[in-house]
Structure formats: structure tokens, C-alpha cells
Amino acid sequence: MGVMESRIGASLKAARARLGWSRETLAHHSGVSWSAIAQIESGRRKDVRLSSLSAFARALGVSVDYLIGSATATAPRLLEHRLLTYGSDEAYLAAATPFFAEGMERSDSLLAVTTRTRG
């Protein structure tokens, strides 16, 4: 197994694990079969198509450079913080519902922290 193949497999597995995704989940989001993912991660598959690398990068939210282990690649963002201010329960739901729906569609990990109602 060459250095490039081992880097791709390790990077792919690490990015998938950070999201808490199984190979089947990555297959669903990328369109690449779970068996191909298993072969790439284990190093059995030596030639990884650019189209597969691009599909993995899009699904995992990383760059192709990250997957191939480029020295110039940046690690994916592990946590994104957003602040929502609201004046009523209705305003909270109007803003939070689309945010959570989009995050669930991408299989993001989501957390909402609110304060007690003041009244």
C-alpha cells in the first residue's frame, strides 16, 4: 500500500468518525458504495477516482486536499456556534425550525441551549 492510499483511507475514516457516520451513511450521502468505502479505508483499493474523492469531500464537509493528506489542507470545522436572539416562542420557532431541518438533512449534530422563560 502506497503512502497516498493509506492517507486517503485514514483521512476518510477520521472525517467519517468525526460526524459519527457509518460507512452506510457515508455511502448514502456520497453515492459511493459502502463496500468501496471499506476497501478505500482498509487500503485494499489502490486507485480512488477523483469523482469519488469529490463526492466524499462534499458529503463530509472537507476538501479533497484534506482527504489526500495535503500539507496545505485545513482540518474540517468540528463545531460551529450560532447565536439566536428572539422575543417570543413564535419567533424562536420561526428561526430555529429551518436551521434544524437543514442540519438534520445534512446529518449534522445539533444542539440548542435556551434559557428559562421570564415572565
Side-chain angles (χ1 to χ4, degrees):
M1 169 175 32
V3 173
M4 185 64 71
E5 290 87 12
S6 63
R7 283 186 184 164
I8 292 171
S11 297
L12 184 63
K13 188 173 185 176
R16 181 175 62 77
R18 269 193 293 277
L19 293 174
W21 285 4
S22 66
R23 289 178 178 147
E24 291 81 6
T25 302
L26 178 55
H28 171 76
H29 288 282
S30 68
V32 179
S33 72
W34 69 267
S35 60
I37 294 167
Q39 290 173 2
I40 293 166
E41 287 182 351
S42 70
R44 289 190 311 264
R45 180 168 285 189
K46 305 286 186 223
D47 298 315
V48 181
R49 294 183 185 136
L50 181 55
S51 60
S52 295
L53 286 172
S54 295
F56 292 142
R58 275 191 308 278
L60 295 166
V62 298
S63 67
V64 171
D65 286 343
Y66 170 80
L67 291 175
I68 64 173
S70 171
T72 61
T74 57
R77 291 170 44 175
L78 301 179
L79 179 64
E80 183 175 326
H81 177 133
R82 294 191 185 176
L83 173 67
L84 169 65
T85 58
Y86 54 94
S88 68
D89 290 346
E90 293 77 21
Y92 172 77
L93 290 174
T97 301
F99 173 77
F100 279 101
E102 290 173 19
M104 289 187 292
E105 181 67 28
R106 291 189 309 264
S107 295
D108 289 347
S109 297
L110 302 164
L111 172 69
V113 178
T114 62
T115 60
R116 287 191 204 184
T117 302
R118 294 186 180 128

